[in-house]
Every structure is written in structure tokens, then in C-alpha cells.
Amino acid sequence: MDLVIARPEGLYCPPGNFYIDPWRPVDRALITHAHGDHARYGHAHYLAAAPGAGILRARLGDINLQTLAYGESLEHHGVRVSFHPAGHVLGSAQIRLEYRGEVWVASGDYKLEPDGTCAPFEPVRCDTFITESTFGLPIYRWRPQREIFADINAWWMTNAEAGRASVVYCYSFGKAQRILSGLDPSIGPILTHGAVEPLNEAYREMGVALPATTAGTNATREEIPRSLVLAPPSTRGSTWMRRFGDHADAFASGWMQLRGARRRRGVDRGFILSDHADWPDLQTAIDATGASRVFVTHGQIGVMVRWLREQGLDAQGFQTEYGDDEIDQVAPSTAEATA
């Protein structure tokens, strides 16, 4: 029996009678993490990893939420369920299902490089692995994040010395906090958009060390020329952004590896920084599970399935309605991504 099948509502576990990251309202939803394409409003009951509780409630309101610590398990209709760190964002988890001796793991989104803002990815042995493949092409290979942070700080310093604010566009949940963790606050004040600050507070409440930040609306004229501003991409050209005057801007995303994506954003700099595994790390993660069967969800499904089959694995795709935080911002054309 397959422990997970695709249904119109989402990925469904028949013996457990629950869904994993469903995209339509259901009675019982197991949630890998709080990004909007995986955690949606309207389910009767939610089960998630405990470190993500604050973020889930901040985004979905007063939901009926039950949590488990990483590694803790419960049994539901004979299916033993546990959550294990995915290293993607605060509270992100892989979901392990065990039923009659068979083990499946659903990855959600994940990355392997630890970053200090969430629990690091933990390989989980299983018979069947359901993996994402957002950056499932050989062209995607990330530099170490310390080098990216050094580039961001050097760019910020140059702009500050020239008397211009530095604006980094990034996803409010996860990417903004990861960038914050690598900034050098001695360069100048760090300002944030209103969409970013509540999530910063949720991270701090969970004990994640982030430098001090100030709401952009409270910044003084003296602070702005040396400041670094973190804001969602939707604020570009907005009234809110005009307060920073003649500023330099940048975009932080894995898609910045593509020239076309950088050109479409039209910013001064593109910093290649992703919260998803690159091509080598996808392979490493899949191999570490020991799984002989792999289902591939959102991203480069066809390429990844073909590659896995060439390695002798039983692989196939799962059609889902998961998007991606970075795809939502800078969707590359298929031709560009496969060039």
C-alpha cells in the first residue's frame, strides 16, 4: 500500500486519513512549514513541528494547532508520525510516516547548509522519499553563505560611504531573517518593512539571535544614508520606498544565478542566496535517505525523475499545487532555466 497518494485536496495518507500540506481545506493537515503554498488557512486541525508554532499562528491566526517536538512521535490510525528538521526556515520539518514496518518521508522544502536561524537539516532513513526539486538542475550550485554575506556587507559599506541607503528585496519569512543573521550592524542601522518585522519578532521569541532592527517608517533623515533596508519585492517603486531617496537596490534569491532573472528584476545587484537545496545537495539528501523509491514534487520534476531513474531508483513525479517563495518572486522561463 502506498502511504501517500495524490488527491485533489493534496497529498493524502490513506491509512492515517490525513493530508500533508494540503492546498484545499481538509479535516486533518500535517504541515511541513509556514510558507503560504504549504500552510493554508481553512483546515479543521493542524499538526506541525513545535518551533514553527509562532510563525504559523502569526500567519494563519487562531488555528486549531497541535505540535510535536522534533523527533517526538504520535500514532494516528496505526501510522506513527514524527517531524525532523528540514533546515529551510524556522520550524520547517520533514514528515516521517511509519506503517506496518514501511517508512515514508515527505521533505517539504529543505536545504543542507546550516544557517543558525533554524534547526539544521537531518537525514532520515526511509523506504520512500518525497522530495522537492525547486533547483533541480545542474546549473544551480550555491557558494558558501559566508561569501554571500561578505558580498552583501561590502556592497552595503560602499553605498554607506557614498551616502546612499542599500535596499535588499527578499522574501519576508525566512530569507529576510537569514540575511539579517549575516549582516554587520557596525556599518549602519538596519531598517525593515512592516511585513518583515513581525516575523523577526517570532524568530527572536524562539531564541534566534538577530541584530537590532528599526521599522523603516521610524527611520530618521540622519539614519537613512547609512542604512540597509530589508523589504518584500512588492515594495519596489512604492510610496513606502520613496522615503529612502536615491538608494542602491539588490535582490536576494537563488534565481539570481540566471542572467535573465537579474535583468528582469532591474536591480543594481543580485545576490545568489537560496533557502532550497542546490543540485548537488538534492542528490546528497536523497542518497542519505537510502530510499529505493522517490517521488518528486514542485520544481524541476522531469529532470530530477530522469536523473534518479538513471541512478537505478524507482522515481516518479507528484503533481502538486506547491509554488515556491522564490519562484513567486522571479519565475524564470523554462528555456532559460534549462539553458
Side-chain angles (χ1 to χ4, degrees):
M1 166 188 268
D2 283 347
L3 284 191
V4 178
I5 61 174
R7 277 189 168 184
E9 297 89 345
L11 300 182
Y12 177 67
C13 176
N17 192 27
F18 54 72
Y19 289 82
I20 296 173
D21 292 347
W23 43 85
R24 294 181 187 174
V26 300
D27 287 338
R28 299 188 68 85
L30 276 57
I31 303 298
T32 61
H33 65 289
H35 275 142
D37 56 327
H38 290 261
R40 304 182 191 229
Y41 184 76
H43 308 310
H45 181 273
Y46 293 77
L47 180 65
I55 295 284
L56 279 168
R57 288 201 166 97
R59 310 203 91 191
L60 300 180
D62 186 22
I63 57 175
N64 180 13
L65 174 63
Q66 179 183 2
T67 63
L68 293 175
Y70 286 133
E72 183 183 4
S73 65
L74 64 73
E75 192 163 307
H76 185 74
H77 293 178
V79 180
R80 183 160 294 279
V81 175
S82 55
F83 292 80
H84 303 266
H88 177 57
V89 293
L90 181 63
S92 62
Q94 305 167 82
I95 300 178
R96 182 184 186 274
L97 311 175
E98 181 174 358
Y99 182 69
R100 295 179 179 175
E102 185 170 352
V103 176
W104 286 47
V105 170
S107 75
D109 293 333
Y110 64 92
K111 78 173 188 306
L112 268 58
E113 185 178 26
D115 67 23
T117 64
C118 62
F121 178 88
E122 177 183 295
V124 183
R125 303 288 291 183
C126 58
D127 302 298
T128 301
F129 187 50
I130 304 172
T131 182
E132 65 137 320
S133 60
T134 302
F135 291 102
L137 288 173
I139 60 171
Y140 296 113
R141 297 171 187 269
W142 311 143
R143 292 165 55 204
Q145 63 188 353
R146 67 178 183 281
E147 296 181 7
I148 305 301
F149 291 150
D151 287 349
I152 293 174
N153 284 319
W155 173 77
W156 178 17
M157 175 67 82
T158 299
N159 294 328
E161 289 175 348
R164 293 203 304 168
S166 303
V167 176
V168 179
Y169 297 109
C170 57
Y171 197 69
S172 302
F173 169 38
K175 185 66 61 58
Q177 291 73 36
R178 188 177 175 200
I179 293 172
L180 264 175
S181 73
L183 293 179
D184 177 1
S186 69
I187 298 173
I190 302 171
L191 311 178
T192 57
H193 185 266
V196 176
E197 197 54 33
L199 296 161
N200 292 344
E201 290 307 310
Y203 271 69
R204 291 180 176 116
E205 288 173 3
M206 289 302 298
V208 177
L210 299 176
T213 53
T214 302
T217 49
N218 296 333
T220 65
R221 287 178 178 274
E222 292 72 25
E223 288 177 314
I224 286 176
R226 292 194 64 83
S227 66
L228 184 137
V229 183
L230 294 175
S234 59
T235 60
R236 190 157 189 249
S238 67
T239 302
W240 188 88
M241 193 58 68
R242 288 175 197 153
R243 75 190 66 229
F244 303 109
D246 178 27
H247 58 268
D249 59 6
F251 197 89
S253 167
W255 299 119
M256 290 297 100
Q257 189 152 340
L258 302 174
R259 282 197 303 272
R262 293 197 297 271
R263 186 173 60 249
R264 279 194 295 278
R265 296 309 306 185
V267 291
D268 299 320
R269 284 288 298 268
F271 294 110
I272 304 170
L273 185 69
S274 177
D275 296 331
H276 296 261
D278 62 3
W279 173 253
D281 280 354
L282 284 168
Q283 296 176 26
T284 298
I286 293 168
D287 183 65
T289 67
S292 59
R293 191 180 186 201
V294 180
F295 286 88
V296 181
T297 62
H298 53 302
Q300 304 295 333
I301 296 175
V303 173
M304 182 59 77
V305 167
R306 185 166 63 249
W307 185 86
L308 291 168
R309 288 176 177 171
E310 289 171 356
Q311 310 314 306
L313 298 178
D314 177 5
Q316 56 190 294
F318 255 152
Q319 292 300 326
T320 69
E321 295 189 14
Y322 305 142
D324 176 77
D325 45 288
E326 296 186 88
I327 286 175
D328 289 344
Q329 297 171 44
V330 198
S333 67
T334 302
E336 180 186 9
T338 55

